[in-house]
Amino acid sequence: MRALAAAAATAVVAAPTPARLLLVSARRAAPRFGHCRASPFARLPRSACYASTTMGDETSTSASGSAQEPAAPAVQGAGSVKQQISNLVALSLRATVPEVDVEPIVEVCTGKFGDYQCNNAMGLWSKGKGSGTSFKNPNAIGQAIAKNLPACDVIESASVAGPGFVNIVLSKSWVAKRIQDMLVNGIKTWAPILPVKRVVLDFSSPNIAKEMHVGHLRSTIIGDTLARMFEFSNVEVLRRNHVGDWGTQFGMLIEFLFEKFPNWEELGSQAIGDLQVFYKASKQRFDEDAEFKDRAQQAVVRLQGGEEKYRAAWKKICEISRNEFDQVYKLLDVQLEEKGESFYNPYIPQVLEKLSSQGLIEESEGARVIFIQGHQIPLIVVKRDGGFNYASTDLAALWYRLNVEKAEWIIYVTDVGQQQHFDMFFKAARMAGWLPDPKEKKFPKTSHVGFGLVLGADGKRFRTRSTEVVRLGDLLDEAKSRSKSELLQRLTENGKIVDWTDEELEQTSKAVGYGAVKYGMRI
């Protein structure tokens, strides 16, 4: 924004020396964006400055009570710059059209007319046209909005362009004070004020006994990024790793372990060895040997029935997987708390009983299902064989997060292929009274953040059971190795290699290599 650039020099002069150096370094390092597709400041029509997103929102309420989503507080100096401008525009709108309840539409300007733009005039004109309004046209509404903006030290000037676009220019002295405050007191002073205090972020979520591959990277990085954004805004974030640690595949894995290594307890982790190889071998045996398949299915029953031998084998498999997951998370600097499918399993019967008592669950072709309006297929919550599935686990997890953890916003980060599942799942929860209509703007709230699939060389989705996928750990090692090789070459060529210690080379290679993997993907 032009006010930001104009005020930066003032802030640097006023700031202490270390802060001055920090801002100068940041300015030198800042990328210069052109008006290209990848640029976050790509030019858009002034009347439609909207950011696209793949986040699908649903609002919800729980037994703990439904809270109306509060408007951002009209407090000068609180929240992000956009929030403060929106608060001032909201006050102007109340004075301009007191009879109309309207939310401020404020966007960042990318042109030369201002720093922010209010785009409410056209919408207000459409609503009021023909109802005896005193305004002659949208431009007149825009002029009134600009005139009614409260006098304050935030706004330097406001002008109206075209059919009522109110262009707002920030005060250079105010921006300079904000920058100085950030340099002296930290960037937390810029944090937005959000109307929630606790968020559950469900992300990463690999399956136990399957190694993490590049297909798991997007959920992990997007989820971690969202978590950091909420935490920056002083929101408590429950980072949940909803791992697949409870299902029919464990009968197959356990029976294969017993067959290959009768003394597996003595061998420990050595019995399983390479998880990916172990999983594929057991799956091949399961598909080709009917007798083994029967034993594996019986093993599931024994495991879920609590038989100690099977429980012990299950715990060992989970332990080996977790250790490998933790190594990857450590490299990526991602913090997660595991609450997998097995954690919510004890809650499923009581949750399904509640839904049954409401008349939502019906019998259909031997299964128990919930019929969802707008979908041709029902949401299966109990399979024909009496087993539970993703839907029953997700319903139990949502109930727990709403009623036990008291989360106000639950966000699920998965690929877009699961969009239909979440749409049906959220609608079922709304039918149960857990989630109100999304238009009501109440908390708690649920969202599915979808992202594109990571495909293999064959153009199909990565599947550990049938594809030679790139392991995430191997990818990170390769990235660090290439980074170090490039760094050594450049330092040798410019004669500065003698100034670097081995530790500095290693740490820099990790930072650049891992950073390139984390944020270099087109997500």
Side-chain angles (χ1 to χ4, degrees), residues 269-289:
S269 301
Q270 296 178 2
I272 293 177
D274 188 309
L275 267 174
Q276 193 162 294
V277 172
F278 183 84
Y279 184 92
K280 288 184 177 180
S282 62
K283 182 65 170 64
Q284 182 178 358
R285 184 69 192 283
F286 183 86
D287 291 338
E288 296 175 355
D289 190 326

Side-chain angles (χ1 to χ4, degrees), residues 88-98 102-104 118 120 124 145:
L88 294 169
V89 170
L91 293 174
S92 174
L93 289 170
R94 291 174 197 167
T96 303
V97 285
V102 58
E103 293 292 325
C118 169
N120 283 97
L124 289 172
I145 294 173

